[in-house]
């Protein structure tokens, strides 16, 4: 389990801020989410690690992926980034493969034009502590023909207004785009969560393992709460930038009811 968790940690760390992605392989892990009769340690560790990446499980559990001497299991799993789900054609191939594992075939439709990974608008955000609603509103007022804009045009207008009123954030040193909800607090909580999980796995007695498991669960709960809170705060900030009003203010509630 220690080697497995180290592999999962490296995998999830490498994928932070990367999209689109496909994760597929024989993880030898069981989870009821992809068709197994129960969830084992490997399955739980894999689900927890990939949940932090918003990875979507593709396996539907309808067909097993491993068969030998009348026994079957679901140990070959596929996860993708959310943006690929609608374009993905995934299936288990029943054809002969010279192996106990069945072939998994999937096709991704690249016909839809996607943003380039090097687009500065997609890579770098703005320092929101320099945001002033009056200045931002004035910058938006300088834009012409802002009625009935398409999604891309609206993003371009907002980006120009942000550039005019706020400095850009610096690019990450490793050149990777961090997840929009990532923060120093979440990084510290994730590091603590991984540390407590390793301590739990190295416990020598059942009593010691039970105590450490409770500490790990508390750390994992704190991490999940921080991620949800950060995602919510990012949405609130975006809503305010677009509408100039806080989420669920009296005005917006009246508009929603209307």
């Amino acid at each position: 389990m220690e080697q497995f968790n180290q592999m999962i940690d490296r995998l999830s760390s490498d994928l932070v801020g990367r999209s689109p992605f496909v994760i597929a392989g024989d993880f030898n892990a069981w989870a009821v989410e992809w068709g197994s009769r129960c969830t084992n340690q490997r399955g739980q560790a894999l689900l927890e690690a990939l949940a932090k990446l918003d990875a979507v499980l593709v396996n539907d559990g309808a067909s097993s992926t491993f068969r030998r001497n009348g026994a079957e299991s679901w140990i070959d799993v596929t996860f993708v980034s959310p943006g690929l789900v609608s374009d993905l054609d995934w299936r288990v191939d029943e054809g002969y493969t010279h192996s106990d594992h069945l072939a998994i075939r999937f096709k991704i439709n690249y016909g839809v034009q996607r943003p380039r990974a090097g687009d500065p608008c997609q890579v770098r955000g703005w320092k929101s502590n320099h945001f002033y609603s009056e200045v931002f509103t004035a910058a938006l007022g300088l834009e012409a023909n802002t009625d009935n804009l398409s999604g891309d045009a609206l993003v371009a207008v907002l980006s120009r207004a942000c550039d005019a009123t706020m400095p850009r954030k610096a690019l990450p040193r490793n050149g990777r785009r961090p997840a929009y909800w990532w923060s120093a607090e979440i990084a510290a909580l994730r590091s603590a969560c991984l540390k407590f999980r390793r301590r739990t796995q190295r416990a020598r007695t059942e009593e010691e393992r039970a105590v450490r498991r409770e500490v790990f669960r508390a750390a994992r709960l704190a991490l999940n709460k921080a991620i949800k809170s950060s995602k919510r705060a990012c949405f609130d900030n975006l809503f305010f930038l677009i509408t100039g009003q806080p989420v669920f203010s009296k005005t917006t509630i009246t508009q929603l009811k209307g």
Side-chain angles (χ1 to χ4, degrees):
M1 274 304 300
E2 183 173 356
Q3 291 180 346
F4 181 82
N5 285 324
Q6 289 175 356
M7 181 270 289
I8 294 300
D9 292 343
R10 289 195 301 268
L11 176 65
S12 58
S13 296
D14 288 342
L15 286 173
V16 169
R18 293 194 176 192
S19 184
F21 60 78
V22 176
I23 306 170
D26 171 16
F27 289 91
N28 196 22
W30 288 22
V32 294
E33 281 80 358
W34 53 75
S36 305
R37 65 174 180 269
C38 63
T39 301
N40 61 10
Q41 280 185 292
R42 286 175 175 243
Q44 187 63 35
L46 184 61
L47 287 170
E48 290 175 358
L50 298 187
K52 298 178 178 64
L53 299 171
D54 289 334
V56 179
L57 174 67
V58 180
N59 295 59
D60 54 15
S63 178
S64 58
T65 65
F66 179 88
R67 299 172 189 173
R68 176 190 293 171
N69 299 329
E72 59 180 2
S73 62
W74 290 254
I75 55 177
D76 305 282
V77 293
T78 308
F79 291 84
V80 300
S81 51
L84 295 182
V85 175
S86 59
D87 299 330
L88 190 67
D89 179 16
W90 184 97
R91 64 186 176 89
V92 178
D93 193 334
E94 296 289 341
Y96 184 63
T97 62
H98 301 276
S99 169
D100 295 326
H101 294 265
L102 280 73
I104 294 177
R105 301 183 181 274
F106 57 90
K107 180 174 64 175
I108 300 174
N109 179 19
Y110 284 105
V112 179
Q113 186 68 30
R114 301 183 183 278
R116 296 171 301 173
D119 187 351
C121 179
Q122 300 294 328
V123 176
R124 299 174 61 188
W126 294 268
K127 297 181 179 180
S128 57
N129 58 322
H130 292 268
F131 175 79
Y132 297 97
S133 59
E134 296 82 0
V135 179
F136 184 79
T137 302
L140 283 178
L142 298 176
E143 294 286 341
N145 301 323
T146 56
D147 296 331
N148 301 320
L149 294 177
S150 65
D152 291 340
L154 177 59
V155 169
V157 167
L158 291 174
S159 297
R160 287 194 295 270
C162 289
D163 281 330
T165 56
M166 292 176 286
R168 289 267 189 173
K169 291 181 178 179
L171 284 171
R173 292 183 179 180
N174 59 10
R176 299 175 185 170
R177 181 180 60 182
Y180 69 92
W181 43 263
W182 191 258
S183 66
E185 177 191 5
I186 292 176
L189 289 172
R190 181 178 183 275
S191 178
C193 187
L194 295 176
K195 179 181 69 176
F196 291 135
R197 185 175 71 183
R198 287 190 290 268
R199 286 183 177 179
T200 301
Q201 294 162 352
R202 294 170 183 170
R204 297 183 178 181
T205 65
E206 187 58 36
E207 292 78 9
E208 184 181 12
R209 184 175 295 105
V211 173
R212 293 186 178 185
R213 186 181 297 116
E214 291 303 317
V215 176
F216 165 62
R217 287 176 177 173
R220 183 177 61 188
L221 179 62
L223 174 62
N224 291 335
K225 284 185 176 180
I227 292 175
K228 290 181 180 179
S229 177
S230 179
K231 288 182 178 180
R232 181 64 188 179
C234 291
F235 173 80
D236 291 349
N237 289 336
L238 178 62
F239 188 90
F240 185 77
L241 284 173
I242 295 175
T243 66
Q245 300 174 1
V247 178
F248 298 131
S249 65
K250 292 183 179 180
T251 304
T252 55
I253 292 176
T254 302
Q255 293 174 348
L256 289 173
K257 288 182 178 179

